[in-house]
Amino acid sequence: MFENNAICKLLKIKYPIFQGGMAWIGTAELVSAVSNAGGLGLIGAGHMPPDILKKEIQKCKGWTDKPFGVNIMLMSPFVKEVMQLMVDERVPVVTTGAGNPGEYLPALKEVGTKVIPVVASVALARRLAKGGVDAVIAEGCESGGHIGEISTMPLIPQVVDAVDVPVIAAGGFADSRGMAAAFSLGASAIQMGTRFVLSKECIAHENYKNFVLKAKDRSTVVTGRSLGHPVRVLANKLTRTFHEMEAAGATPEELEKLGEGTLHLATHKGDVENGSVMIGQISGMLEDIKSVKEIIDDIINGLPQAVAELQSKYL
Ligand code: TUI
């Protein structure tokens, strides 16, 4: 299985499943569990300072002998030092969010690190593929956290047609049916964040997990469109205040200030009313907390049935 899968071959992993690199909760506990289960775990570096990130990398190296990666937010104030750390630590895979990692490519390639940016548009996918990245993650706006404006279904085939590197599909995936759909759109792998939040190994506060378990199909909202950086979160007191202030003509500075520190408040303090509960739209489908290994095994084991059901619709 997956012997000819472009992503499994490129990264030397068993299954073409990435764990989205989530800030604060994409820690060594989750990352090593995903890599040990045959997928690719990714530390969510967010705005983490390099000394803390280094400790997280060292934990991963101790807890798994499989490939893992780091997801780097290009807007982080520490981005230059963090990229140097990737080189020094010979991290196998770097994924990037919110920008163009082009200037860091030569140094990373030099040490054999695979560079895989997250893109939310065809134009950026094309530009980065020409610039020499190893693959691209095309992320639809069904995802949680910072998002683009195009949903997964139209984004994936357009990116697949535009680039000649493998494509990982992200945004709305959580089961075997989704994986079969990603393959049929031309992607070689899926990335999941939301599904792995509801895992035993994820260190998110239990209030966060319980709030996500209660989510229905329409429970998420998008804040920050007027600021030019849309963010998908579960609707709560914070999002209602945000939208009221926005409608009342609050300045971008006032709105930015409202969001400061709110992700940590939700993930670690468990304040799911005043905190930012970033999660994808597929949360509405999820009803259980499983181990990472169960999550991955269930998707892989369910794949033949999902494909058989596809065929039953037309054969
Ligand atoms: O990065 C994400 N999602 C994230 S990062 C994050 S961390 C955070 N921490 C504290 C407060 C707020 C956030 C939470 N969620 N996804 C990857 C992603 N990248 N989605 C969209 C993009 C993107 C957007 C614009 C990539 C490139 C880009 O380039 C601009 C352009 O010119 O097209």
Side-chain angles (χ1 to χ4, degrees):
M1 220 178 184
F2 302 116
E3 276 82 18
N4 293 316
N5 181 286
I7 287 295
C8 291
K9 284 202 287 193
L10 176 71
L11 305 179
K12 303 185 173 61
I13 57 177
K14 191 170 175 196
Y15 302 132
I17 297 179
F18 286 22
Q19 163 244 317
M22 301 168 287
W24 292 109
I25 57 176
T27 62
E29 287 79 3
L30 183 59
V31 175
S32 58
V34 172
S35 289
N36 282 330
L40 184 77
L42 289 145
I43 299 170
H47 292 180
M48 217 187 252
D51 54 326
I52 311 272
L53 181 54
K54 184 170 179 175
K55 292 200 181 110
E56 219 52 42
I57 292 168
Q58 280 161 354
K59 278 191 203 167
C60 287
K61 286 180 176 172
W63 294 348
T64 184
D65 56 3
K66 306 280 190 312
F68 66 93
V70 176
N71 171 254
I72 299 174
M73 270 262 288
L74 293 165
M75 293 186 309
S76 162
F78 306 110
V79 61
K80 285 210 156 54
E81 297 101 298
V82 162
M83 287 295 186
Q84 185 57 46
L85 181 65
M86 299 302 105
V87 172
D88 296 343
E89 292 290 326
R90 304 284 196 273
V91 173
V93 185
V94 164
T95 68
T96 62
N100 182 343
E103 65 180 287
Y104 308 104
L105 271 179
L108 292 168
K109 292 215 148 218
E110 177 81 25
V111 295
T113 295
K114 305 292 184 216
V115 182
I116 310 183
V118 178
V119 299
S121 72
V122 171
L124 187 62
R126 192 176 273 131
R127 201 171 341 130
L128 296 180
K130 280 197 187 122
V133 301
D134 295 283
V136 295
I137 301 165
E139 187 187 85
C141 60
E142 295 91 328
S143 296
H146 274 255
I147 53 174
E149 292 288 358
I150 310 174
S151 45
T152 300
M153 183 78 123
L155 181 66
I156 304 304
Q158 293 185 78
V159 170
V160 166
D161 288 349
V163 302
D164 53 13
V165 293
V167 176
I168 299 99
F173 298 102
D175 65 6
S176 312
R177 296 174 296 180
M179 191 174 205
F183 289 159
S184 71
L185 295 173
S188 299
I190 56 169
Q191 171 166 287
M192 305 189 295
T194 299
R195 177 63 269 192
F196 287 124
V197 170
L198 294 181
S199 69
K200 291 185 181 142
E201 290 86 346
C202 177
I203 63 149
H205 195 285
E206 65 169 329
N207 295 355
Y208 195 107
K209 291 185 183 179
N210 286 332
F211 199 43
V212 174
L213 279 171
K214 277 193 262 171
K216 297 190 174 65
D217 55 345
R218 298 182 59 195
S219 298
T220 70
V221 293
V222 176
T223 61
R225 277 223 164 86
S226 69
L227 300 172
H229 51 86
V231 177
R232 183 176 301 283
V233 290
L234 282 175
N236 62 5
K237 184 157 168 268
L238 176 67
T239 66
R240 286 189 288 277
T241 305
F242 187 98
H243 286 131
E244 277 163 24
M245 282 174 59
E246 195 175 34
T251 64
E253 293 73 28
E254 286 168 329
L255 293 172
E256 295 282 5
K257 192 149 180 46
L258 188 64
E260 273 170 26
T262 54
L263 182 56
H264 181 259
L265 187 63
T267 59
H268 284 63
K269 306 268 188 252
D271 186 345
V272 296
E273 277 307 317
N274 301 297
S276 174
V277 187
M278 294 184 183
I279 209 75
Q281 287 183 321
I282 202 68
S283 54
M285 188 179 81
L286 303 179
E287 295 183 328
D288 53 4
I289 293 173
K290 303 197 274 196
S291 73
V292 162
K293 185 163 165 36
E294 271 180 284
I295 290 171
I296 292 181
D297 285 349
D298 286 356
I299 293 177
I300 299 299
N301 294 335
L303 205 49
Q305 174 75 16
V307 173
E309 277 178 31
L310 275 184
Q311 293 179 329
S312 77
K313 300 288 195 297
Y314 72 92
L315 282 183

